Amino acid sequence: MPKNKIIFACQVCGYQAPKWLGKCPDCGGWNTLVEERLSTTKIRGADIQKGKPIPILEIQSNEEDRILTHIGELDRVLGGGIVPGSVILIGGDPGIGKSTLLLQTLEGIRDNGKLLYVSGEESPNQIKLRGMRIGIRSNNLVILSETSLDSILETVDEIKPKVFVIDSIQTVFTSELPSAPGSIGQVRESAGRLMFYAKKTGIPIFLVGHVTKDGSIAGPRVLEHIVDTVLYFEGEKGHAFRILRAVKNRFGSTNEIGIFEMKDSGLSEVKNPSEIFLAERPFKVTGSVVVSSMEGTRPILVELQALVSSTNFGVPRRTTIGVDYNRVSLLLAILEKRVGMHLMGQDVFVNVVGGIKIDEPAVDLGIVTAVASSFREIPVDPKTFVFGEVGLAGEIRAINQVEARIKEGAKLGFKRVIIPINNAKKMSRVKDIEVIGVASVDETLEILFR
């Protein structure tokens, strides 16, 4: 029998010790020593298979059929479906809906053969109760409550599932390491074995990952490097909407997002998010403007609100929800310097309605417009929406995918759009909507508030 020796290696400098140390004696790093398994088995030369270099044009690529989940938003984020043999890691806050989404995913592919859901946190009865609530009706779905990786892989070999889920990777352990489940060594070793198993058998694997206080997936950073796809399930407390976002995808774009609404019967797809986000928009109210944001290939129109009021303190407050704080501070400085708005004695609050986050520069013009509207007490025309990047000189810079944004606005009944002038020069006439190009913030505010 081959023997495995347990060592503790520093993840920074590579120093090895027979026992755990809080501080690395070599590089001085704290909490950098991680448990690792060191095999003492000698590998004979005959057992080593040497790979041969192949010219890239001679490599035969097989375009395998993806497995459709029949959940359009999830298939969109994955790049068109599940790739056989891929490992997909999904993380999110507790109670956000990760387990519910994966149960619905297995229900959507139930006609493709056996499906396995492995839970290390819930009993089969608890999973059954959730399944009944969200309408699970498949006899092909098999539930296993287990945390031993060896036992899980034995079960997978027996039933040969089309897809299987492990909820969560932090509860799984391998007997080859003596540390507790959830430790860095256990998570890395378990994820590595699952990755090799998926590539060998072609069975796609979903892994659920816990998150830390700052929102990143708990465990070693190498966990995100091992897997093929990393998905984050996001949502604001008090809002029913959930956003599925890919931060890594070897088989598709990382720009796509999927939007869901949490209901009593589970997660429901939001196929037209712009209409949902604008459903309760107030009309003829100061500080409210509609902006167009691109999430991957999908244009989304959202309401952006700003409130400007006199400050009661020596230092004015700047509060943002859904947009970058530093970006808003920069745009306020532009309004102060280039337009002449005296905002130094004003508290400014900016909010993206609906609980979503927007991080693209195309919403700059919307932030400037909303703040100016609230400051001047003049409402923006409810049939007008805006988008464009604002430079430090107060100029409006061109952005991409303009036609898709404008068509989305025209579909929702908007009659006028204000865009960067360089984009307007290259645009052909759009039916049922007036396109106005602007070169500066001054020109934009003059058109909106004259």
Side-chain angles (χ1 to χ4, degrees):
M1 289 291 292
K3 295 181 179 180
N4 293 321
K5 181 181 178 181
I6 302 300
I7 62 169
F8 293 84
C10 178
Q11 302 302 292
V12 177
C13 66
Y15 176 84
Q16 296 182 355
K19 62 180 182 179
W20 184 82
L21 300 172
K23 181 180 181 181
C24 176
D26 197 358
C27 67
W30 287 94
N31 296 321
T32 58
L33 268 70
V34 175
E35 183 181 44
E36 292 186 356
R37 177 169 53 91
L38 182 64
S39 176
T40 58
T41 305
K42 293 183 179 180
I43 302 176
R44 291 175 294 182
D47 297 331
I48 301 175
Q49 295 182 355
K50 183 178 179 180
K52 296 181 179 179
I54 306 174
I56 189 170
L57 297 179
E58 296 181 10
I59 298 175
Q60 300 295 325
S61 61
N62 297 321
E63 188 65 28
E64 296 185 83
D65 294 332
R66 294 176 182 254
I67 303 171
L68 295 179
T69 66
H70 300 288
I71 301 177
E73 297 297 298
L74 178 58
D75 287 335
R76 174 200 294 271
V77 176
L78 292 176
I82 304 171
V83 175
S86 62
V87 181
I88 302 165
L89 175 65
I90 177 169
D93 294 332
I96 202 72
K98 302 183 296 295
S99 301
T100 300
L101 175 63
L102 291 176
L103 277 175
Q104 291 183 222
T105 300
L106 297 181
E107 173 71 9
I109 56 179
R110 60 185 177 181
D111 297 331
N112 289 346
K114 287 288 185 181
L115 305 164
L116 178 63
Y117 187 96
V118 181
S119 177
E121 301 174 346
E122 296 178 292
S123 68
N125 288 335
Q126 291 174 314
I127 300 173
K128 173 66 182 297
L129 289 174
R130 181 190 291 116
M132 292 175 61
R133 177 173 58 84
I134 64 178
I136 300 296
R137 298 289 182 267
S138 174
N139 283 328
N140 287 334
L141 179 56
V142 180
I143 306 298
L144 174 65
S145 182
E146 182 60 72
T147 57
S148 171
L149 181 60
D150 299 320
S151 300
I152 292 171
L153 295 181
E154 287 178 7
T155 304
V156 173
D157 287 334
E158 290 176 7
I159 67 175
K160 297 287 192 298
K162 190 74 175 179
V163 179
F164 79 92
V165 172
I166 293 184
D167 185 6
S168 64
I169 187 62
Q170 276 81 13
T171 63
V172 176
F173 72 94
T174 172
S175 58
E176 295 178 351
L177 294 178
S179 57
S183 64
I184 292 178
Q186 286 284 8
V187 171
R188 184 176 58 186
E189 185 71 18
S190 299
R193 285 187 58 185
L194 288 168
M195 185 270 293
F196 285 118
Y197 188 87
K199 304 307 178 187
K200 182 179 70 173
T201 61
I203 300 175
I205 303 173
F206 281 92
L207 303 178
V208 176
H210 295 168
V211 295
T212 59
K213 290 181 180 180
D214 62 356
S216 60
I217 294 179
R221 197 67 180 180
V222 71
L223 177 61
E224 298 187 29
H225 293 286
I226 289 175
V227 301
D228 299 303
T229 304
V230 180
L231 307 178
Y232 276 90
F233 209 31
E234 307 169 354
E236 295 289 336
K237 291 183 178 179
H239 292 279
F241 297 110
R242 305 285 188 268
I243 296 177
L244 185 66
R245 191 186 307 273
V247 297
K248 173 187 177 182
N249 191 357
R250 288 174 178 160
F251 310 111
S253 171
T254 57
N255 294 322
E256 300 289 354
I257 67 166
I259 301 178
F260 299 86
E261 184 179 3
M262 179 62 80
K263 299 181 178 179
D264 293 338
S265 58
L267 290 163
S268 175
E269 295 179 71
V270 178
K271 296 183 179 179
N272 191 349
S274 299
E275 189 173 357
I276 297 294
F277 293 141
L278 300 179
E280 301 179 18
R281 180 168 63 103
F283 292 96
K284 296 185 178 179
V285 176
T286 61
S288 174
V289 67
V290 175
V291 296
S292 179
S293 172
M294 291 297 298
E295 296 290 349
T297 58
R298 166 190 282 176
I300 298 179
L301 268 63
V302 295
E303 181 190 0
L304 196 148
Q305 294 181 336
L307 179 64
V308 180
S309 61
S310 299
T311 182
N312 295 321
F313 305 97
V315 179
R317 296 177 62 188
R318 303 287 188 256
T319 304
T320 64
I321 301 175
V323 289
D324 182 48
Y325 173 85
N326 294 324
R327 193 72 183 174
V328 172
S329 299
L330 182 146
L331 294 172
L332 295 180
I334 293 172
L335 285 173
E336 184 94 23
K337 180 75 173 180
R338 305 298 181 188
V339 183
M341 289 188 183
H342 300 293
L343 299 172
M344 291 304 295
Q346 307 288 326
D347 292 334
V348 180
F349 307 89
V350 179
N351 175 43
V352 180
V353 177
I356 68 170
K357 296 179 181 178
I358 303 176
D359 58 0
E360 70 159 342
V363 300
D364 287 355
L365 194 57
I367 296 173
V368 167
T369 301
V371 170
S373 171
S374 180
F375 180 76
R376 295 182 176 179
E377 293 291 339
I378 304 175
V380 178
D381 178 16
K383 292 295 182 180
T384 299
F385 72 102
V386 303
F387 57 86
E389 182 181 358
V390 178
L392 290 179
E395 78 279 14
I396 309 299
R397 294 178 172 270
I399 58 172
N400 57 4
Q401 297 176 295
V402 175
E403 292 189 8
R405 301 174 196 257
I406 295 177
K407 289 179 180 178
E408 179 72 9
K411 186 172 66 174
L412 293 175
F414 287 89
K415 299 301 181 183
R416 185 173 65 164
V417 59
I418 296 180
I419 67 173
I421 190 169
N422 288 332
N423 288 131
K425 290 178 180 178
K426 301 175 183 178
M427 281 283 301
S428 56
R429 188 178 181 277
V430 181
K431 186 179 180 182
D432 298 329
I433 191 168
E434 179 186 4
V435 179
I436 301 175
V438 291
S440 66
V441 174
D442 273 329
E443 184 181 351
T444 304
L445 300 183
E446 182 181 350
I447 293 172
L448 287 171
F449 303 134
R450 63 188 174 188

